[in-house]
Amino acid sequence: MAANRVKGTYDVLPSESYKWVALETKIREILSLYNLKEIRTPMMEYSNVFHRDSEGSDMVTKETYDFVDRSNRALTLRPEGTAGVIRSYVENKLYASQELEKVYYIGPNFRYERPGKGRYRQFSQFGVEAIGTVDPALDAEMIILAYDFIKRLGLKGVKVRVNTLGDQESRDRYQEALVKHFTPHIHELCEDCKNRIDKNPLRILDCKIDYKHESVINAPTPLDLLNDASRAYFDEVKSHLEMCGIDYVIAPKLVRGLDYYSHTVFEIEADIKGFGAANVLGGGGRYQKLVSELGGPDLGGIGFAFGMERLLMALEANHIELNEDVEVDCFVITFSKELKKIGTKILYDLRQENFVSDMNYTAKSFKGQLKQALRFNSKYLIILGDEEYARGVVGIKDTKTEIQEEIKIENITAYIKKKMEK
Ligand code: HAM
């Protein structure tokens, strides 16, 4: 049987993995400036963590990987990070020790979507959640963090789109207005939208089939129906952003694809040719009912998540290398089985001194071994032939200057140490 990867998944090959490591390192570096701590939650949860009564989004109703385990438990592979983090926040009573818990996470998620450019069935997100406090300053901090992150990566042509859904009262008013607006057109819309009008009219706005329908284009926006308190909340968020000179735009139609949002929502979009829907690098917003829906107290939170694959694609399109591939300091070249043993000992000693070192295990010819050493950008070649070994020495060649010296085997590490200090 031919073994193929699962549709919508991909392999990170050894030649590419350094990009992931570099991106993750950068994420941790930037997030620590914001006093965030990492949280790691399981990749699978009981299905009801995601399939809650209120959650009628396509992502949760149609795209989750649900299965029953060998003991008949209904489980789901996480399609996103937020619900699992909140489940953990509630289960571990993190609210008891801190008024505000600020965390981040990095890891894989699973959605049964149609795979395409920047859209996979297993993909990675890095996300942030600030849970426990409702304060416009915190909404602004999350947008500032997402903006700052993109800026520090060096990505150009990025748009920060911000909107508000308002509080529950405003949201209810908006839903009513949408029902009124869509009812005369409902027979022209798709089957899913016909259901959505009763269950969740907001979802009509991000329907993947009807998004070009005139009634969708002309639909009222949440801003039209905000109550005073929600308008004041949003004004406060905006004034914080303006204070820091954050370059954002108001996107009146932005409602986001998950049902847990209220108040502030935002998305980060990259203007990269050919990216299509994968232009959205990340998004998030405030959620007020998620904590209580998962059995916790009545506390709100706000967060966002970026798709790591899309970030890497955007970096590539902007010709940004976060970090060069690791260079090898020393590469040992030997020609016989006997000498390989000596090579193993040389490598061991070099690695004890923290030099990145390697040797060739298969190629027999000098040329083949040299080729590999150069592919790794090796700084020094340590050449150990029979004749040299008989005299207790090796040849050490500096690949930059091409100068080769003869060094006693017991002095190799000291020699490299001295050279590298320079
Ligand atoms: P989301 O908008 O569903 O939000 O996903 C966030 C990001 O994950 C997207 O902008 C995109 O970059 C990436 N993404 C989503 N689906 C895929 C896919 N199939 N393939 C590749 N990348 C994908 C959330 O997940 C929320 N939990 C964000 C949040 C955190 N809201 C509050 N806190």
Side-chain angles (χ1 to χ4, degrees), residues 94-242:
L94 299 185
Y95 48 83
S97 52
Q98 295 234 46
E99 222 170 77
L100 175 64
E101 190 70 51
K102 289 205 268 187
V103 295
Y104 76 91
Y105 47 89
I106 304 176
N109 301 278
F110 305 84
R111 294 185 193 178
Y112 196 81
E113 288 194 86
R114 195 161 50 82
K117 204 170 173 70
R119 197 182 319 109
Y120 304 93
R121 288 185 173 170
Q122 178 177 332
F123 62 97
S124 277
Q125 280 184 342
F126 102 77
V128 169
E129 310 295 340
I131 320 153
T133 306
V134 183
D135 187 331
L138 199 53
D139 298 40
E141 185 182 54
M142 289 296 120
I143 298 170
I144 292 168
L145 168 49
Y147 171 88
D148 189 21
F149 172 74
I150 287 295
K151 208 173 77 179
R152 283 172 189 265
L153 284 188
L155 292 175
K156 298 267 158 22
V158 175
K159 232 191 241 161
V160 180
R161 305 170 69 234
V162 182
N163 196 20
T164 182
L165 300 170
D167 60 9
Q168 194 58 44
E169 188 194 55
S170 306
R171 239 191 107 123
D172 291 346
R173 271 161 50 171
Y174 182 50
Q175 297 227 29
E176 261 172 52
L178 285 178
V179 173
K180 215 164 148 192
H181 171 81
F182 282 120
T183 301
H185 306 282
I186 199 65
H187 59 280
E188 299 154 26
L189 301 180
C190 75
E191 283 311 304
D192 279 343
C193 284
K194 287 189 179 101
N195 285 324
R196 286 174 181 138
I197 195 155
D198 298 321
K199 284 200 192 129
N200 197 342
L202 236 82
R203 288 281 72 82
I204 299 178
L205 297 175
D206 50 31
C207 175
K208 285 168 191 148
I209 299 167
D210 289 326
Y211 68 99
K212 281 188 181 153
H213 192 276
E214 222 180 295
S215 67
V216 176
I217 294 168
N218 298 328
T221 75
L223 293 175
D224 302 328
L225 292 128
L226 290 183
N227 60 18
D228 290 346
S230 300
R231 193 171 298 280
Y233 190 97
F234 194 45
D235 285 345
E236 190 85 1
V237 175
K238 288 188 289 184
S239 70
H240 277 77
L241 297 179
E242 273 139 36

Side-chain angles (χ1 to χ4, degrees), residues 274-334:
F275 269 33
N279 261 356
V280 182
L281 301 180
R286 175 163 283 290
Y287 41 87
Q288 295 298 84
K289 289 196 302 195
L290 197 50
V291 179
S292 58
E293 273 183 6
L294 288 165
D298 186 17
L299 293 170
I302 179 160
F304 64 82
F306 276 96
M308 304 273 283
E309 294 79 6
R310 294 186 190 182
L311 286 172
L312 288 171
M313 281 165 56
L315 286 167
E316 201 163 310
N318 277 262
H319 308 290
I320 299 168
E321 275 274 350
L322 286 184
N323 220 332
E324 289 295 316
D325 202 352
V326 177
E327 286 182 358
V328 168
D329 296 320
C330 303
F331 194 90
V332 175
I333 296 181
T334 59

Side-chain angles (χ1 to χ4, degrees), residues 4 7 68-69 105 130 145 176 250 274 316 381 401-402 422:
N4 299 322
K7 188 175 174 187
V68 174
D69 78 1
Y105 47 89
L145 168 49
E176 261 172 52
I250 298 289
E316 201 163 310
L381 303 179
T401 61
E402 303 230 325
K422 286 186 192 159

